[in-house]
Amino acid sequence: MLEKIDMKKEVNPADYNERMAHLEIRMGELQRKCKELGIPIMIVFEGFEASGKGTMINKMIQPLDPRGFKVYTMEKENEEEKMHPYFWRYFIKTPAKGRIHIFDRSWYQGLENGKVTPEDVRQFERQFTDDGMVVIKFFLAITKKEQKKRLKALEQDSATKWRVRKEDRQKNKEYDKYLEQYDTMLIQTDTSNAPWTVVEAMEKKFAICKIMTIVVNRLEAAVAEAEAGKPEKILVEEEFSEDLKNGVLQGIDLSLSLEPEEYKKKRKDLQKRLGILHNKMYLQRVPVVLAFEGWDAGGKGGAIKRITQCIDPRGYEVVPVSAPNDIEKAHHYLWRFFEKFPKDGHLTIFDRTWYGRVLVERIEGFATEAEWKRAYSEINNMEAHLVKSGAIVLKFWLHIDKDEQERRFRQRQETPEKQWKITDEDWRNREQWEAYEKAVDEMVVRTSTKEAPWFIIEANSKLYARIKILEIVVEALEKVLK
Amino acid sequence: MLEKIDMKKEVNPADYNERMAHLEIRMGELQRKCKELGIPIMIVFEGFEASGKGTMINKMIQPLDPRGFKVYTMEKENEEEKMHPYFWRYFIKTPAKGRIHIFDRSWYQGLENGKVTPEDVRQFERQFTDDGMVVIKFFLAITKKEQKKRLKALEQDSATKWRVRKEDRQKNKEYDKYLEQYDTMLIQTDTSNAPWTVVEAMEKKFAICKIMTIVVNRLEAAVAEAEAGKPEKILVEEEFSEDLKNGVLQGIDLSLSLEPEEYKKKRKDLQKRLGILHNKMYLQRVPVVLAFEGWDAGGKGGAIKRITQCIDPRGYEVVPVSAPNDIEKAHHYLWRFFEKFPKDGHLTIFDRTWYGRVLVERIEGFATEAEWKRAYSEINNMEAHLVKSGAIVLKFWLHIDKDEQERRFRQRQETPEKQWKITDEDWRNREQWEAYEKAVDEMVVRTSTKEAPWFIIEANSKLYARIKILEIVVEALEKVLK
């Protein structure tokens, strides 16, 4: 995409002021329109060193209402960012509905240093465009000679000298090599949902006109599409097979139990080992994610407590997940979870999880069919990314039968200090038992991966369930930690 | 407070289980009650190394609903934190209404290394307790001998060896010196609104019982007070003098103006100098805060644009301030501003500011009299803290007269692409002109400090105002930056 372009394109000076004035007014109008329609917009600037990204961004934002945009300069990762999965610092900065977020450098740095693959990048962008986001990507191109000239000019000005790093001069020398690399990158990540625009950036007036024109055109198309109420494409997936329905939860032996004496002994031993492992995790900088799902009153809270009781509170966090708040709702549904993932060496326990998308949101209709159907692969990609970044991810479904649930509901209602735990909603959810069974089946089949397996826990006996979970956690950690 | 206590206090083992069971149930109940009443709670743990802060925190959080609390371990400041005012990392972590935030180490570290004074700390805590927060502070004390023993035990266990740093052993040797330092610290910061509890921590069972008891008692008192609807104390301030009323804005010569030719020349020169200064700011790591207030249609937006036009978008941010959202409302009113303050070397421009507390919130009754009256000194303290941390803080009031405002409102209504800028609210605010005049007078008098001065800008002529602001900014920066 870069090799045959004419980087020296110019704009007719006589037209420039008029065109810009028109584009600026249009940008302001479209920003307000997109805000109204709740369209999130992400604009990425990549390009050669000294190709003028900063200048272009500054010109582009002048007509915008500052209440609705933000510029992110993505320099080298800081300590905190290094201790998170690669996409973390980008994901948490993605715009809410109606906002414009502009990235000066972006996740494409990860392609240069091998932290992610072109496929990872395509999936990363895809999940947002599927969710209605407009992703606009600019690559600013200048010639080797021009780059050399600009770097020199920067160096000769005492106020800007510091901006030129040694590696920039080196990169200028190896311009041809980089041109080729960039070209490959652009080709591999030029998708229909998030296409690249190469900007010939020798002449600044031409470049800003082109950038503004593309933004205006893309936003106009998005507004038109939103106003027309374009139907969502539902992912064509292989139909969920009949044999699998009610399969996963059927083989479970809910009569398994444990005597209190044995429970105590085992618990003590496992908690002690876990305490040691928690220290090792911290020392060896391994992040751990434990995801708990299960029937209401399935015993998630009690099981989680048996894990946290014996470990240092400075190294773990329990994240209880309920309905998203307004700000969370205005983002991609995985955004609020991405924010919470542990940094290296820490443990995060989710009490309910991102699987809400294919459970309660599916069943209650909070997510459309298109949304929950594509969620399986989005979730698999996300968990694979966590694991690739070094995390251990274990997922538990706490399984009880309908009678046991009723027994526990009644018990909660009869115990004064537990009454707050039981609400009408719990009784209502219970009526959907069969729908949940089906959804759980499909979830376990579609998202049990080698990297992030599901464990179905026989939980009619609380003691049995707690020990089984502790065992799984301890064994998984012992396998990895030396 | 430390020198005469008996650190070896013990709890009767026969009572322990029963007392704990009772305290745990009560903690859970009080957490729910505080959530209902919207009481924010901050619990601080300080103490000798190896005094068991982690263990105590872990025991304390077991009965709590994880949806409502969070533990923060405040280790050494990271890069990002170092580039902000000292209190920044603590302020942004303060709890919203109804939440419990627990700090393992806290802002008291700043007293040890001289970054803040006892008076700073008292003011810091005071602003939150004035706002209805419960602040509970524990200091865990053990003897020199016990500390030595515990450090040794940690070192001998391979899983915990890494926790003992060289300085910990050194601190044990100089135990007496530290005891004295801590004692001074405790005495200087033991206030009626945020008192210390020294916890004798030799015996863990005694310590946790004491901690839980104190927490339960403090929360019970807070709940009782909230339910009784205790009246707010209104700060007794020297009455705002009659002579000062309508003083500040009266001497202003609104006929000052500038010819377009001269404007252009001056603007170009000033913008060029500002561009250079912006680079120097970055290099010399000086953060700059520009605060804009003024009458509706006073020309804030245009003036801000003349500042940002010529500088690198990677080093500045414009923060437009409107009514706080739900999450912001649940925090101290300065919280959302603290979050936005620039890091070292960056420029943040606020389009409307924290002064909303003593302007619109005062006039519309969104803040109580007690709240806006104490805001002056809270704001002065906050700005002094920014300046002490190295920031340049400049505040502008853009002043126009009532006729000029009407002219501008009508012009906006008649220009299609500006119509969105004018709302019924603007016309309504206009009816409060005299009330605003009075509030502005008092604001300028009470918050014009040497460190963070107010500049009243004659803004009937937009060109004149823009140049005057640019001049003030450029001159202030040139004075500081080499």
Side-chain angles (χ1 to χ4, degrees):
Chain A
M1 293 172 75
L2 284 176
E3 309 215 340
K4 284 173 196 157
I5 62 163
D6 172 13
M7 295 178 188
K8 290 172 199 157
K9 279 188 188 162
E10 291 186 12
V11 68
N12 182 343
D15 297 349
Y16 176 73
N17 285 340
E18 201 188 323
R19 270 184 74 183
M20 278 302 281
H22 168 75
L23 286 166
E24 289 193 344
I25 289 175
R26 200 71 194 111
M27 278 275 275
E29 286 165 358
L30 283 161
Q31 183 190 13
R32 290 192 291 279
K33 200 80 202 163
C34 288
K35 188 180 168 200
E36 225 173 81
L37 292 164
I39 302 171
I41 300 152
M42 193 146 71
I43 307 180
V44 170
F45 283 83
E46 290 284 347
F48 285 98
E49 276 313 311
S51 59
K53 294 187 289 288
T55 312
M56 292 301 126
I57 293 173
N58 209 28
K59 281 215 181 294
M60 196 186 79
I61 62 182
Q62 294 305 325
L64 296 176
D65 181 344
R67 274 166 294 204
F69 78 84
K70 193 161 161 63
V71 178
Y72 293 98
T73 306
M74 304 310 295
E75 292 167 344
K76 283 210 186 106
E77 290 169 287
N78 65 28
E79 296 164 33
E80 185 75 10
E81 290 165 347
K82 271 186 205 149
M83 292 178 78
H84 282 90
Y86 180 75
F87 281 130
W88 178 78
R89 68 171 183 157
Y90 300 109
F91 205 123
I92 62 173
K93 293 184 181 70
T94 53
K97 283 178 184 150
R99 289 186 55 83
I100 304 177
H101 285 190
I102 300 157
F103 290 85
D104 176 5
R105 307 298 321 269
S106 67
W107 44 94
Y108 283 92
Q109 294 174 91
L111 280 179
E112 287 174 44
N113 60 27
K115 290 205 175 174
V116 286
T117 67
E119 175 62 16
D120 293 336
V121 167
R122 288 192 300 265
Q123 284 170 358
F124 179 72
E125 293 172 354
R126 180 61 186 257
Q127 67 190 330
F128 299 116
T129 56
D130 273 350
D131 198 39
M133 192 184 288
V134 178
V135 178
I136 307 177
K137 305 184 296 192
F138 293 110
F139 189 93
L140 273 55
I142 50 174
T143 60
K144 182 175 183 179
K145 212 171 122 190
E146 176 73 9
Q147 189 184 38
K148 194 171 174 184
K149 204 176 92 191
R150 290 190 188 180
L151 289 173
K152 211 167 182 178
L154 283 171
E155 275 188 305
Q156 277 166 351
D157 184 338
S158 65
T160 55
K161 204 178 151 190
W162 58 277
R163 292 198 182 186
V164 181
R165 298 157 306 171
K166 215 171 132 187
E167 66 219 69
D168 297 332
R169 284 190 300 264
Q170 189 55 34
K171 274 183 160 180
N172 177 252
K173 278 185 195 140
E174 301 179 73
Y175 178 94
D176 293 337
K177 190 186 91 185
Y178 282 100
L179 182 92
E180 217 185 300
Q181 277 183 15
Y182 289 140
D183 206 31
T184 309
M185 172 188 100
L186 292 173
I187 291 166
Q188 287 176 332
T189 55
D190 187 43
T191 56
S192 60
N193 54 305
W196 278 106
T197 299
V198 174
V199 178
E200 302 81 351
M202 301 286 280
E203 209 242 356
K204 289 194 174 157
K205 287 183 176 173
F206 174 84
I208 186 63
C209 274
K210 180 162 181 178
I211 287 168
M212 301 269 284
T213 306
I214 295 285
V215 172
V216 163
N217 290 347
R218 290 286 307 278
L219 297 189
E220 264 165 4
V223 165
E225 208 171 84
E227 284 180 336
K230 193 193 155 213
E232 278 191 293
K233 261 180 285 172
I234 295 176
L235 198 70
V236 189
E237 274 256 24
E238 153 199 13
E239 194 43 38
F240 191 61
S241 145
E242 273 302 323
D243 344 335
L244 288 172
K245 273 176 200 162
N246 283 325
V248 177
L249 299 181
Q250 288 309 300
I252 307 298
D253 180 1
L254 287 176
S255 71
L256 289 168
S257 69
L258 206 59
E259 290 306 309
E261 270 315 296
E262 211 185 334
Y263 166 71
K264 239 186 187 165
K265 222 181 73 192
K266 286 198 169 177
R267 198 200 67 199
K268 276 197 178 165
D269 168 60
L270 287 163
Q271 286 188 334
K272 203 180 152 200
R273 281 155 73 192
L274 188 58
I276 295 168
L277 287 163
H278 191 235
N279 272 309
K280 286 191 179 172
M281 264 177 61
Y282 185 77
L283 277 179
Q284 297 172 34
R285 297 267 180 263
V286 175
V288 176
V289 174
L290 303 182
F292 283 85
E293 290 284 355
W295 299 105
D296 288 331
K300 293 190 297 296
I304 291 172
K305 193 167 281 186
R306 296 323 176 280
I307 293 172
T308 61
Q309 262 171 351
C310 54
I311 60 181
D312 191 320
R314 294 170 278 206
Y316 79 82
E317 186 178 9
V318 177
V319 177
V321 174
S322 47
N325 65 32
D326 286 353
I327 290 168
E328 291 165 346
K329 264 186 216 150
H331 282 90
H332 190 275
Y333 74 99
L334 292 174
W335 179 79
R336 61 174 173 148
F337 301 106
F338 238 97
E339 256 204 321
K340 295 287 188 184
F341 287 136
K343 57 181 178 179
D344 291 351
H346 286 247
L347 163 66
T348 304
I349 301 174
F350 289 90
D351 182 353
R352 301 211 179 278
T353 68
W354 43 98
Y355 284 97
R357 189 72 162 188
V358 296
L359 296 172
V360 58
E361 293 187 35
R362 165 184 178 171
I363 287 162
E364 300 289 340
F366 303 145
T368 65
E369 191 182 346
E371 284 172 341
W372 65 258
K373 282 204 165 168
R374 67 171 181 261
Y376 300 113
S377 63
E378 288 170 340
I379 287 173
N380 285 341
N381 291 338
M382 180 184 78
E383 291 177 355
H385 184 60
L386 289 181
V387 171
K388 199 178 157 191
S389 81
I392 297 174
V393 180
L394 306 172
K395 305 178 299 199
F396 301 97
W397 174 265
L398 272 69
H399 192 53
I400 54 175
D401 60 35
K402 229 176 151 178
D403 293 343
E404 177 66 18
Q405 189 186 49
E406 190 173 350
R407 220 181 47 75
R408 293 188 186 181
F409 278 10
R410 297 208 180 283
Q411 199 186 25
R412 284 184 177 182
Q413 273 177 330
E414 285 153 20
T415 316
E417 70 266 21
K418 286 192 177 172
Q419 273 163 10
W420 63 278
K421 278 186 160 188
I422 178 105
T423 64
D424 290 350
E425 208 189 315
D426 294 322
W427 288 103
R428 272 199 307 277
N429 285 341
R430 198 172 142 74
E431 286 163 24
Q432 303 270 22
W433 189 278
E434 283 70 31
Y436 273 100
E437 256 181 349
K438 196 177 145 194
V440 171
D441 268 348
E442 185 163 0
M443 168 186 88
V444 172
V445 170
R446 291 211 192 275
T447 61
S448 261
T449 58
K450 211 181 109 213
E451 299 89 16
W454 272 106
F455 297 94
I456 310 293
I457 305 297
E458 302 84 347
N460 265 15
S461 153
K462 286 185 183 179
L463 303 189
Y464 178 86
R466 291 172 189 169
I467 294 300
K468 180 158 177 188
I469 291 167
L470 273 170
E471 276 172 351
I472 290 168
V473 174
V474 165
E475 277 167 24
L477 295 184
E478 279 176 350
K479 218 182 273 175
V480 172
L481 301 169
K482 274 145 279 172
Chain B
M1 293 175 74
L2 284 176
E3 310 214 336
K4 284 173 197 158
I5 62 164
D6 171 15
M7 296 178 187
K8 289 172 197 157
K9 279 188 189 160
E10 289 187 12
V11 68
N12 182 344
D15 297 347
Y16 176 73
N17 285 340
E18 201 188 321
R19 271 184 74 182
M20 278 302 282
H22 168 74
L23 286 165
E24 288 194 343
I25 289 175
R26 199 71 195 111
M27 279 273 275
E29 285 165 358
L30 282 162
Q31 182 189 16
R32 290 192 291 281
K33 199 80 200 163
C34 288
K35 189 181 166 198
E36 224 174 80
L37 291 165
I39 302 171
I41 299 151
M42 193 145 71
I43 307 180
V44 170
F45 282 83
E46 291 284 347
F48 285 98
E49 277 314 312
S51 58
K53 293 187 289 291
T55 312
M56 291 301 127
I57 293 173
N58 208 28
K59 283 219 181 291
M60 195 185 78
I61 62 183
Q62 295 306 325
L64 296 176
D65 180 343
R67 273 166 297 202
F69 78 85
K70 191 160 163 63
V71 178
Y72 292 99
T73 307
M74 304 310 295
E75 293 167 345
K76 283 214 185 99
E77 291 170 286
N78 66 28
E79 297 164 32
E80 186 76 10
E81 290 166 345
K82 273 187 205 146
M83 292 178 80
H84 282 90
Y86 180 75
F87 281 130
W88 178 79
R89 67 170 181 158
Y90 300 109
F91 204 122
I92 62 175
K93 294 184 180 70
T94 53
K97 285 178 183 146
R99 288 186 56 84
I100 304 176
H101 285 191
I102 299 157
F103 290 85
D104 177 4
R105 304 302 318 271
S106 68
W107 43 93
Y108 283 91
Q109 294 174 91
L111 280 180
E112 288 176 43
N113 59 29
K115 291 206 175 174
V116 286
T117 66
E119 175 60 17
D120 292 337
V121 166
R122 288 193 298 265
Q123 285 171 358
F124 178 73
E125 293 172 354
R126 179 62 186 257
Q127 66 190 331
F128 299 115
T129 54
D130 273 349
D131 199 39
M133 194 184 284
V134 177
V135 177
I136 306 176
K137 305 184 296 192
F138 293 111
F139 188 93
L140 272 58
I142 51 175
T143 59
K144 185 173 181 178
K145 210 171 126 192
E146 175 73 9
Q147 189 183 41
K148 194 171 175 185
K149 203 177 95 189
R150 289 192 190 178
L151 289 173
K152 211 165 182 179
L154 284 170
E155 276 188 305
Q156 278 167 351
D157 184 338
S158 66
T160 54
K161 203 180 150 191
W162 58 278
R163 292 197 181 187
V164 181
R165 296 158 308 168
K166 215 173 134 189
E167 66 220 67
D168 297 333
R169 282 190 301 264
Q170 188 55 34
K171 275 183 159 180
N172 178 253
K173 278 185 196 142
E174 302 177 72
Y175 177 93
D176 293 337
K177 189 185 92 185
Y178 282 101
L179 182 93
E180 214 186 299
Q181 277 183 15
Y182 289 140
D183 205 30
T184 308
M185 173 188 99
L186 292 173
I187 291 166
Q188 287 176 332
T189 55
D190 186 42
T191 57
S192 61
N193 54 304
W196 278 106
T197 299
V198 175
V199 178
E200 302 81 352
M202 302 285 281
E203 209 241 358
K204 289 195 174 157
K205 285 182 177 173
F206 173 82
I208 186 63
C209 274
K210 177 160 182 179
I211 288 169
M212 300 269 286
T213 305
I214 294 285
V215 173
V216 162
N217 290 347
R218 289 287 307 276
L219 297 189
E220 264 165 4
V223 164
E225 208 172 83
E227 284 180 336
K230 193 195 155 210
E232 276 190 294
K233 259 180 288 173
I234 295 176
L235 197 69
V236 188
E237 273 257 25
E238 154 198 12
E239 193 44 38
F240 190 60
S241 147
E242 272 301 322
D243 346 332
L244 287 172
K245 272 178 197 157
N246 283 323
V248 178
L249 299 180
Q250 288 307 301
I252 308 297
D253 180 1
L254 287 175
S255 71
L256 289 168
S257 70
L258 206 61
E259 289 307 306
E261 270 316 297
E262 211 187 331
Y263 166 71
K264 240 188 186 162
K265 223 180 75 195
K266 286 197 169 176
R267 196 199 70 201
K268 276 198 179 163
D269 167 59
L270 288 162
Q271 286 189 334
K272 203 179 149 196
R273 282 153 72 192
L274 188 59
I276 295 168
L277 288 163
H278 192 235
N279 271 307
K280 285 191 180 172
M281 265 176 61
Y282 185 77
L283 277 178
Q284 295 171 35
R285 297 268 181 263
V286 175
V288 177
V289 174
L290 303 181
F292 283 86
E293 289 285 353
W295 298 104
D296 288 333
K300 293 190 297 296
I304 292 172
K305 193 168 281 184
R306 294 324 176 281
I307 293 172
T308 61
Q309 261 172 352
C310 53
I311 59 179
D312 192 319
R314 292 170 280 206
Y316 79 82
E317 185 178 9
V318 178
V319 177
V321 175
S322 44
N325 65 32
D326 287 352
I327 290 167
E328 292 164 345
K329 264 186 218 149
H331 282 90
H332 190 275
Y333 75 99
L334 292 174
W335 179 78
R336 60 175 174 149
F337 301 105
F338 238 97
E339 255 206 322
K340 293 289 188 183
F341 286 137
K343 57 181 179 181
D344 290 352
H346 285 247
L347 163 66
T348 304
I349 301 175
F350 289 89
D351 184 352
R352 300 209 179 280
T353 68
W354 42 99
Y355 285 97
R357 190 71 162 188
V358 296
L359 297 172
V360 58
E361 292 186 38
R362 165 183 178 171
I363 288 162
E364 300 289 340
F366 301 145
T368 64
E369 191 183 345
E371 284 172 341
W372 65 258
K373 282 204 166 168
R374 67 170 181 260
Y376 299 112
S377 63
E378 287 171 341
I379 288 174
N380 285 340
N381 291 340
M382 179 183 80
E383 292 177 357
H385 184 60
L386 290 180
V387 171
K388 198 177 159 192
S389 82
I392 296 174
V393 180
L394 305 172
K395 306 180 295 200
F396 300 98
W397 174 266
L398 272 70
H399 191 53
I400 55 175
D401 61 34
K402 228 176 151 179
D403 292 344
E404 178 65 19
Q405 189 186 52
E406 187 172 353
R407 221 181 48 74
R408 292 188 187 179
F409 277 10
R410 296 211 181 281
Q411 200 185 26
R412 285 184 176 180
Q413 272 178 330
E414 284 152 21
T415 315
E417 70 264 22
K418 288 192 175 169
Q419 274 162 10
W420 63 278
K421 279 186 158 187
I422 178 103
T423 65
D424 291 349
E425 206 190 317
D426 295 321
W427 289 103
R428 271 198 309 277
N429 285 342
R430 199 173 143 73
E431 286 163 25
Q432 304 270 22
W433 190 277
E434 283 70 31
Y436 273 100
E437 257 179 348
K438 195 177 145 195
V440 171
D441 268 346
E442 183 161 2
M443 168 186 88
V444 172
V445 170
R446 291 211 192 275
T447 62
S448 261
T449 57
K450 212 182 108 210
E451 298 90 18
W454 272 106
F455 297 94
I456 310 293
I457 305 296
E458 303 84 348
N460 264 14
S461 155
K462 287 186 183 177
L463 303 190
Y464 178 84
R466 290 172 190 168
I467 293 301
K468 182 160 176 187
I469 291 167
L470 273 171
E471 276 172 351
I472 291 168
V473 174
V474 165
E475 278 167 24
L477 294 184
E478 278 176 351
K479 219 181 273 174
V480 173
L481 301 169
K482 274 143 281 175

